[in-house]
Amino acid sequence: MTRVPVRDDLSALEGYHSPQVTVDVRLNTNEAPVGPPAAFRDALSSEMSRIEWNRYPDRAATALRTAIGALHGVGPEQIFVANGSNEVLQTVLLTFAGPGRTVATFEPTYQLHGHIARITGATVVEGERAADFSIDMNEVRRVVEQSRPHVTFLCSPNNPTGGVDSPSVVRDVLALSPGLLVVDEAYGQFADWSAVELIDEETPLVVSRTFSKTWSMAAARLGYLVGPRWLVAELDKVVLPYHLDATKQIAGTLAVRFLDEMNERVRSIVSERERVSAALRALDLDVFDSGANFVLFRPRHMGGRAVWQGLLDRSVLIRDCSGWPRLADCLRVTIGTPAEDDRFLSAITEVLS
Ligand code: PMP
């Protein structure tokens, strides 16, 4: 069979990989360590039996958008929902980026921002973060003045470094950026504030969120954004019709009824995060402050890759960022259950000794 050539601008593109291997303790993809409450599963099964399978689902996903909007004190017309926040970001980029347009990221950050932007045909301009991985306003000014980006990304808490951008940083970037500012808050519930409070009809700002982490629903593939009404209406024109299946709409609508349980899970993960961070610091590692459900750290006396392999040899899988640009020797561990975190901490103590 003859291979037909892919688009010229895609031929050099690498796919996005997150290696999965079978291990006892999997702390590499920032998932929630426990599933949603049993009452959620029961409610979902009984609702599923009522789906009219011969009919298309509600195209506007009104019940789901209303339920999510209520979490943020806004109406359904300010909520756009898609199959994971990755698809939310893709729809934003299809709408506001694309050929001839520019997208700015501040690296290191979530790799999919630049990756999806390139797939839409946009030019990606990579600004640098400061040495502690915080946003450097001089660099933002430089990038924005030189490239006039149509879309600028912040990620707060930032994956993979964990830092939270303060309200003044987000306000300052918003004031400088000439186009749309996207704040990716996939880990937003673990942080102490949200940029959702800055959203209004006059401000070119959207905030994306996901059900994959705090809601313990990575399997559902459900994400959303909060934004101005006019902007959500534009996204609705771009996304495929009936992109959200009936099962997912029901699952999301039911999930938000369990807000208290979700908040409880967040509290326990945050307290585990502080415990794990302190234990890693006690092992004389460089540990970056995290407002998320993971912690980035850098061994001082051993290569990052060797530490990662030593953990894998003990059946503990974490994320090896040591070969990523700007992250030499860095490793990222997702916070698990207390038992999983103990396994990780004793394995790394062994590896380092
Ligand atoms: N944004 C960030 C910063 C993430 O880390 C992730 C998941 N790794 C996503 C978005 C995508 O999440 P999902 O598509 O599962 O909603």
Side-chain angles (χ1 to χ4, degrees):
M1 202 179 82
T2 314
R3 291 191 182 199
V4 292
V6 301
R7 268 165 40 193
D8 292 345
D9 60 323
L10 294 187
S11 56
L13 202 71
E14 302 249 350
Y16 178 77
H17 300 291
S18 178
Q20 292 296 354
V21 289
T22 307
V23 285
D24 292 347
V25 180
R26 215 169 72 187
L27 300 173
N28 66 328
T29 48
N30 298 344
E31 293 151 320
V34 293
F40 162 81
R41 291 170 190 270
D42 295 344
L44 182 59
S45 330
S46 85
E47 285 293 324
M48 292 266 291
S49 63
R50 283 200 273 275
I51 291 176
E52 285 188 78
W53 289 105
N54 56 321
R55 301 291 177 197
Y56 282 109
D58 174 15
R59 182 169 172 176
T62 309
L64 176 59
R65 287 161 82 159
T66 304
I68 293 172
L71 292 175
H72 297 287
V74 301
E77 62 293 334
Q78 282 194 259
I79 305 292
F80 174 77
V81 193
N83 295 286
S85 53
N86 284 339
E87 195 187 43
V88 171
L89 301 175
Q90 183 190 50
T91 311
V92 168
L93 289 165
L94 284 171
T95 311
F96 295 97
R101 292 190 162 214
T102 302
V103 174
T105 63
F106 293 92
E107 303 290 333
T109 190
Y110 185 45
Q111 293 175 336
L112 266 269
H113 296 159
H115 182 76
I116 302 170
R118 289 185 184 96
I119 290 173
T120 72
T123 302
V124 177
V125 177
E126 296 185 346
E128 303 291 326
R129 286 171 181 261
D132 65 356
F133 300 129
S134 63
I135 292 288
D136 169 354
M137 284 322 283
N138 287 329
E139 175 70 349
V140 175
R141 208 166 284 114
R142 183 190 71 78
V143 167
V144 161
E145 279 168 11
Q146 278 178 10
S147 323
R148 310 301 295 161
H150 298 82
V151 179
T152 299
F153 273 100
L154 288 178
C155 188
S156 177
N158 187 44
N159 181 11
T161 61
V164 178
D165 297 327
S166 68
S168 67
V169 164
V170 177
R171 274 201 200 89
D172 290 350
V173 176
L174 198 49
L176 287 172
S177 93
L180 176 66
L181 176 62
V182 179
V183 182
D184 181 339
E185 287 191 1
Y187 305 92
Q189 291 93 334
F190 297 109
D192 49 12
W193 84 285
S194 168
V196 170
E197 65 188 57
L198 305 178
I199 289 170
D200 62 40
E201 285 303 298
E202 276 67 55
T203 307
L205 167 70
V206 294
V207 174
S208 62
R209 290 243 169 152
T210 180
F211 278 70
S212 299
K213 321 290 177 185
T214 44
W215 291 100
S216 300
M217 282 174 57
R221 307 302 301 125
L222 180 59
Y224 66 94
L225 69 68
V226 188
R229 288 180 192 80
W230 67 267
L231 187 143
V232 169
E234 295 296 338
L235 301 181
D236 278 333
K237 289 184 211 162
V238 172
V239 78
L240 292 174
Y242 305 110
H243 68 300
L244 271 195
D245 65 83
T247 313
K248 189 182 327 258
Q249 293 192 33
I250 292 171
T253 309
L254 289 175
V256 299
R257 292 192 197 152
F258 296 88
L259 180 64
D260 291 346
E261 288 83 345
M262 188 276 275
N263 283 328
E264 189 44 49
R265 287 197 294 275
V266 169
R267 263 192 295 279
S268 67
I269 290 169
V270 166
S271 100
E272 270 298 283
R273 177 186 77 206
E274 296 311 307
R275 181 176 80 92
V276 169
S277 300
L280 291 175
R281 284 198 177 98
L283 289 172
D284 198 26
L285 303 160
D286 289 327
V287 181
F288 295 89
D289 286 338
S290 171
N293 66 338
F294 56 82
V295 178
L296 187 81
F297 63 95
R298 188 165 43 205
R300 286 189 189 153
H301 310 295
M302 210 176 148
R305 178 78 194 177
V307 172
W308 179 83
Q309 185 61 53
L311 291 169
L312 190 57
D313 295 343
R314 288 161 183 81
S315 208
V316 176
L317 178 64
I318 67 171
R319 195 69 186 261
D320 178 14
C321 312
S322 65
W324 299 4
R326 308 168 182 88
L327 288 168
D329 285 321
C330 288
L331 303 174
R332 189 195 71 193
V333 62
T334 304
I335 301 303
T337 61
E340 288 171 328
D341 298 337
D342 283 344
R343 270 285 298 270
F344 160 69
L345 289 171
S346 65
I348 194 164
T349 307
E350 247 179 68
V351 171
L352 292 173
S353 60

